[in-house]
Amino acid sequence: MPITIAMPRLSDTMEEGTLLKWNVKVGDAVSSGDAIADVETDKATMEVQVFDDGVVAKLGLEEGATVPVGNMILILAEKGESAEDAIKNADMPEAGAPAATEEASPETSAPPAPTAPSKTGGGSVRVSPLARKLADEHGVDLQALSGSGPDGRIIKRDVLAAAGQQGGGGAAPSAAPVAAAAPSAPVTPLPAAGLEAKTISLTGMRKTIAKRLVESKTTVPHFQVSVAVNMDPLMELRKTINGQLESQGIKLSINDFVTRAVAMGCVENPSVNSSWNGDSIVQHGTVNVGVAISLPEEKGGGLLVATLRDTHQKGLRQISADIKQLAQNARSDKGLTVQEMSDSTITISNLGMPQYGVTQFTAIVNPPNAAIIAVGAAIQKPVVRDGAIVIGSEMNVTLSGDHRTIDGAVGAQYLATVKRLLENPAALLV
């Protein structure tokens, strides 16, 4: 009897998954616990495992395809069963269920794709959404193509072949002659050197980031409070400590001290370390600091939040090591696990790196957190110290808060605590 493997729900908020890589091929024998594929969810890249023994009879979609949770992605044949029988007898999605995206193999059973209106008025063609998009981009006339997909459906490879990008012998249609412009017609400026007009497809993670930011900004009543922190004592202490730790290959960043201060501030002001729960407010018994990490363009760009667990119980060395490891994991091929991205209770977004030079900004609350801390650069500037104008280092810290959960006065009191800890950094060492 065939075993149908569906796209699993790998996180509580996952609605669809993108199959990044198959780790098996048709004919491979697999056992329970084997990782058959790498899938990108709305939170991380994760492995999909099987829980039965069998032989791979069919891969339900190609790498790069995105399908809803519950859609078939693979069929296994049991011992003694042929691949043909397994495919024939497999439970396929019910009519009306979401189809596996595009480039499943031609044999994949899928509901008919939407049809494109006939340009001649004499009928229509079957074409997948991705093929239609590529045809628009490359100027390919869909009416002139014969589809190689199920029921004559035009799919990606048909369009690319016609566009001459897969060695299929086809050539992209030549552009229509451009009529001579009238003397008074405006001249279209040429694109600047190095610029390119293009459409960038969103990864599942980037879609989720955008969705959550919109939800936060439109459903959470934000307020902001800021303080300026005298960084001279911390800069001196950091210089001394790093000099002593240099032989061990350890170098503490300003952000390590800020993270420690944010966590200790939550211990003194537990109201900030809380979440809105609809008809109640949950105050958390541990401080898990979320650290915003920017992803490189090749990873889809955007920001994600890695969770530094039990931060209030960690010293500066451990905080520094954990943040470095989380950043490395986030930018690796595998990315962060769901565990490494879950359960933050307050978040830090730091744009104070020298290459940016940002002195102050506000951040969007990361639900269900009640607050996010935006950290600017520590810069030297004229400041007043003991009634005299001198050159000193100063850093702006801004709290964005969920006004349903914490009041402005509570936010101000919390920032006052963080300011006191940063201006008296010896307290962060114990």
Side-chain angles (χ1 to χ4, degrees), residues 101-285:
T101 51
E102 207 341 288
E103 316 308 339
S105 61
E107 297 78 19
T108 299
S109 175
T115 58
S118 170
K119 295 180 181 179
T120 63
S124 61
V125 294
R126 297 180 183 276
V127 55
S128 73
L130 180 56
R132 187 191 306 279
K133 178 182 176 184
L134 290 171
D136 290 340
E137 292 177 355
H138 295 289
V140 173
D141 183 2
L142 294 172
Q143 294 292 330
L145 299 186
S146 296
S148 62
D151 299 319
R153 177 189 187 197
I154 297 173
I155 59 176
K156 173 183 174 182
R157 63 166 172 249
D158 302 321
V159 177
L160 292 180
Q165 295 190 3
Q166 287 190 333
S174 59
V178 179
S184 59
V187 178
T188 303
L190 294 174
L195 292 181
E196 177 187 358
K198 59 183 177 179
T199 299
I200 301 173
S201 299
L202 297 178
T203 63
M205 187 181 299
R206 191 65 187 261
K207 290 178 184 177
T208 301
I209 291 170
K211 179 181 177 181
R212 298 285 168 78
L213 289 174
V214 171
E215 288 178 353
S216 175
K217 199 63 176 176
T218 56
T219 63
V220 175
H222 284 60
F223 74 93
Q224 284 84 26
V225 289
S226 300
V227 294
V229 179
N230 173 11
M231 294 293 288
D232 288 339
L234 192 150
M235 301 294 268
E236 286 296 321
L237 179 62
R238 174 174 174 259
K239 181 179 179 180
T240 300
I241 292 176
N242 281 341
Q244 295 172 348
L245 297 177
E246 184 177 5
S247 61
Q248 302 177 41
I250 298 173
K251 185 176 182 179
L252 302 178
S253 69
I254 292 176
N255 193 57
D256 298 332
F257 287 88
V258 171
T259 303
R260 171 80 169 146
V262 165
M264 292 179 66
C266 286
V267 174
E268 293 189 36
N269 302 269
S271 296
V272 174
N273 193 53
S274 59
S275 299
W276 177 254
N277 196 34
D279 56 358
S280 62
I281 294 174
V282 177
Q283 284 194 5
H284 303 289

Side-chain angles (χ1 to χ4, degrees), residues 22-148:
W22 282 115
N23 297 322
V24 295
K25 62 183 183 296
V26 172
D28 285 354
V30 297
S31 302
S32 177
D34 287 350
I36 60 170
D38 294 340
V39 169
E40 181 185 69
T41 73
D42 58 338
K43 290 185 175 180
T45 299
M46 304 181 68
E47 292 181 339
V48 174
Q49 296 181 342
V50 293
F51 300 97
D52 298 278
D53 300 338
V55 176
V56 178
K58 181 178 182 178
L59 304 180
L61 62 159
E62 289 189 356
E63 294 178 352
T66 300
V67 296
V69 169
N71 266 44
M72 185 276 291
I73 62 172
L74 180 141
I75 296 174
L76 289 180
E78 289 190 327
K79 184 177 181 180
E81 182 181 30
S82 69
E84 292 77 11
D85 289 342
I87 296 171
K88 179 180 177 181
N89 299 323
D91 292 331
M92 304 302 289
E94 297 180 4
T101 51
E102 207 341 288
E103 316 308 339
S105 61
E107 297 78 19
T108 299
S109 175
T115 58
S118 170
K119 295 180 181 179
T120 63
S124 61
V125 294
R126 297 180 183 276
V127 55
S128 73
L130 180 56
R132 187 191 306 279
K133 178 182 176 184
L134 290 171
D136 290 340
E137 292 177 355
H138 295 289
V140 173
D141 183 2
L142 294 172
Q143 294 292 330
L145 299 186
S146 296
S148 62

Side-chain angles (χ1 to χ4, degrees), residues 311-390:
T311 318
H312 60 300
Q313 297 178 348
K314 294 180 176 179
L316 287 166
R317 288 195 196 191
Q318 190 62 52
I319 288 173
S320 180
D322 288 353
I323 292 177
K324 287 183 175 68
Q325 186 62 57
L326 287 169
Q328 180 179 330
N329 293 350
R331 293 163 182 151
S332 69
D333 291 338
K334 286 292 186 181
L336 294 172
T337 66
V338 172
Q339 178 76 3
E340 291 171 327
M341 299 176 67
S342 303
D343 305 324
S344 65
T345 59
I346 190 169
T347 303
I348 297 173
S349 181
N350 192 336
L351 289 179
M353 286 69 77
Q355 64 267 35
Y356 299 144
V358 175
T359 58
Q360 186 171 5
F361 70 104
T362 60
I364 299 175
V365 171
N366 178 38
N369 297 175
I372 183 169
I373 311 300
V375 183
I379 61 171
Q380 287 194 323
K381 58 190 292 188
V383 294
V384 177
R385 302 274 194 263
D386 300 323
I389 297 178
V390 298

